[in-house]
Amino acid sequence: MKILITGASGFIGSHLAAQLHASGHHVLAAGRDIAQAARRAPDLDWMACDFRHDSAADWLPRLEGVDAVINCVGVLQDGLGDNSRAAHVDGAAALFAACEQAGVRRVIHVSAVGADAASGSAYARDKQDGEAALTALDLDWVILRPSLVIARNVYGGTALVRALCGIPWLTPLVGGEQVFRPIGAEDLSAAIHDLLQPGAPSRVSWDVGGLQRVTMDELARGYRRWLGFGKTRIWHVPRWLAAPAFAVGDLLGWIGVRTSMRTTALKQLDFDVEGDPTEWLAATGATPRGFDDYLASAPAGLQDRWHARLGFARPLARWVLGLYWLATGILSLTIASDHAYSVLQAAGYSPAMQAFLLWFGSAFDIAMGAAMVAKWRVRWIAAIMIAGTFAYILALSLTLPGLWADALGPILKVFPMMALALMIAATEDER
């Protein structure tokens, strides 16, 4: 079959595309930013799309020869570049309408457990409206609402849980009593593959989840055992204490820094993250693995433990590096300006050159620091920081070589900073 998967660069979509391609299908993988995704999965047939702008007329030529469509597009919350209404309702409705016009009858829509306006989140309301847009059409539709989807390659909420497990001695959790039915990405993909077969059920909406009910506390403890981190103390963080962190997550979203610690996630956790997969299991005979069995099927590797430990350590390192550069630039222009001028004078620069170097250098430091804090082109900024620091070392070595032996180490102390920038550049990545 020729199968169009929208959101193929995302967490669920990427696993599904890989599994369907391995099964021999021709996968037309559609996503908003596909350059990196295409490099990681070059065997797929990639196509750019954007639910924020694409109309049914835009979709019609893309659907030529397509036998089935699977929609995996989703965003957690509005933010820079993300629009929940466009992703879950307007853009999805345009795709579904184009499927009806083009005669592509089989449409599988991956929604989410808790897609109900009663949750109080725009995410759930929009998910519900997107489902309604599909069920109103004359199509052989299937709506799947998975609980927590887990995999070795994690992103979003599962990555956050692993990062919390990477904190030594103590695991902070908001709540802890919430119940999930974790389902492996491979098991979800297998279920979708079966629903593409002739005679498969249609015009049905099902919650989808694993066979094992797991609380948030049990989820964290299970991941720590799997990672080899041993036992931990669970700290149930009061919601009033966690609220500022989630508010900061909302603000970060508006500057393009996506994090799972946002108010939408908290509302959905409190509403429903389990679902009831009874109807799906009875109708299909599916046998998804439980959480413990899924983890036991593949031992954690070195990269899994690194990922967990770096979950919070790496963002902290990036902030420290960025604030360090911001502080040096601001201090050079304010309370440390006299000392900066004295160093430049001792190096033999003219008064005009002293002023230029001070202002240029400070502006450079502030710009680099702000970009690093804002997570803007982190790899490039880190590389520029390293190159700029080498220029700083070279200039001082030529003009004031005695600083190499200075007790305060104004030259020696920048080498750890460069090492930190190198580590951040090497581990910078997006899905």
Side-chain angles (χ1 to χ4, degrees), residues 48 76 99 105 128 138 246 253 259 274-275 277 297 311 342 360 377 387 400 421:
L76 179 61
C99 289
R105 295 201 55 82
Q128 187 178 47
D138 181 22
F246 284 85
T259 169
E274 177 187 5
S297 67
S342 67
F360 175 81
R377 298 187 179 275
L400 295 170

Side-chain angles (χ1 to χ4, degrees), residues 347-402:
Y349 293 109
S350 66
M353 182 57 71
Q354 292 173 29
F356 170 77
L357 289 174
L358 179 63
W359 282 93
F360 175 81
S362 298
F364 177 80
D365 288 358
I366 291 171
M368 293 296 100
M372 183 61 69
V373 169
K375 208 173 184 288
W376 183 78
R377 298 187 179 275
V378 170
R379 187 176 289 116
W380 279 102
I381 294 300
I384 294 171
M385 285 178 169
I386 294 171
T389 305
F390 270 120
Y392 161 84
I393 293 171
L394 179 61
L396 288 182
S397 297
L398 293 175
T399 57
L400 295 170

Side-chain angles (χ1 to χ4, degrees), residues 122-170:
Y123 168 86
R125 180 200 65 220
D126 293 340
K127 282 286 191 181
Q128 187 178 47
D129 290 348
E131 292 181 10
L134 178 57
T135 57
L137 301 177
D138 181 22
L139 295 169
D140 295 331
W141 51 264
V142 174
I143 296 172
L144 301 179
R145 305 186 192 95
S147 182
L148 181 68
V149 181
I150 57 177
R152 288 292 295 273
N153 169 25
V154 294
Y155 183 82
T158 313
L160 176 60
V161 172
R162 282 203 202 174
L164 292 170
C165 292
I167 299 173
W169 307 304
L170 187 71

Side-chain angles (χ1 to χ4, degrees), residues 7-130:
S9 58
F11 174 52
I12 293 176
S14 61
H15 283 88
L16 179 59
Q19 196 153 331
L20 291 179
H21 174 74
S23 299
H25 296 288
H26 175 194
V27 176
L28 185 58
R32 187 169 63 183
D33 300 313
I34 62 172
Q36 290 190 21
R39 286 195 292 269
R40 290 193 292 265
D43 293 334
L44 302 181
D45 188 2
W46 286 94
M47 176 185 69
C49 71
D50 194 332
F51 271 30
R52 297 172 299 176
H53 311 299
D54 293 348
S55 65
D58 295 319
W59 280 107
L60 282 174
R62 302 168 182 167
L63 293 172
E64 185 176 350
V66 170
D67 299 301
V69 168
I70 306 170
N71 179 40
C72 301
V73 172
V75 299
L76 179 61
Q77 192 169 309
D78 288 349
L80 183 63
D82 291 332
N83 184 309
S84 176
R85 192 73 184 172
H88 302 136
V89 187
D90 300 333
L95 171 63
F96 301 151
C99 289
E100 186 178 48
Q101 294 175 42
V104 181
R105 295 201 55 82
R106 195 56 161 179
V107 177
I108 299 178
H109 177 52
V110 180
S111 185
V113 161
D116 190 323
S119 74
S121 75
Y123 168 86
R125 180 200 65 220
D126 293 340
K127 282 286 191 181
Q128 187 178 47
D129 290 348

Side-chain angles (χ1 to χ4, degrees), residues 150 212 214 218 222 225-226 289-297:
I150 57 177
Q212 183 180 354
V214 181
E218 292 168 339
R225 287 194 303 271
W226 180 69
R289 289 163 291 180
F291 176 62
D292 292 337
D293 289 339
Y294 183 86
L295 293 184
S297 67

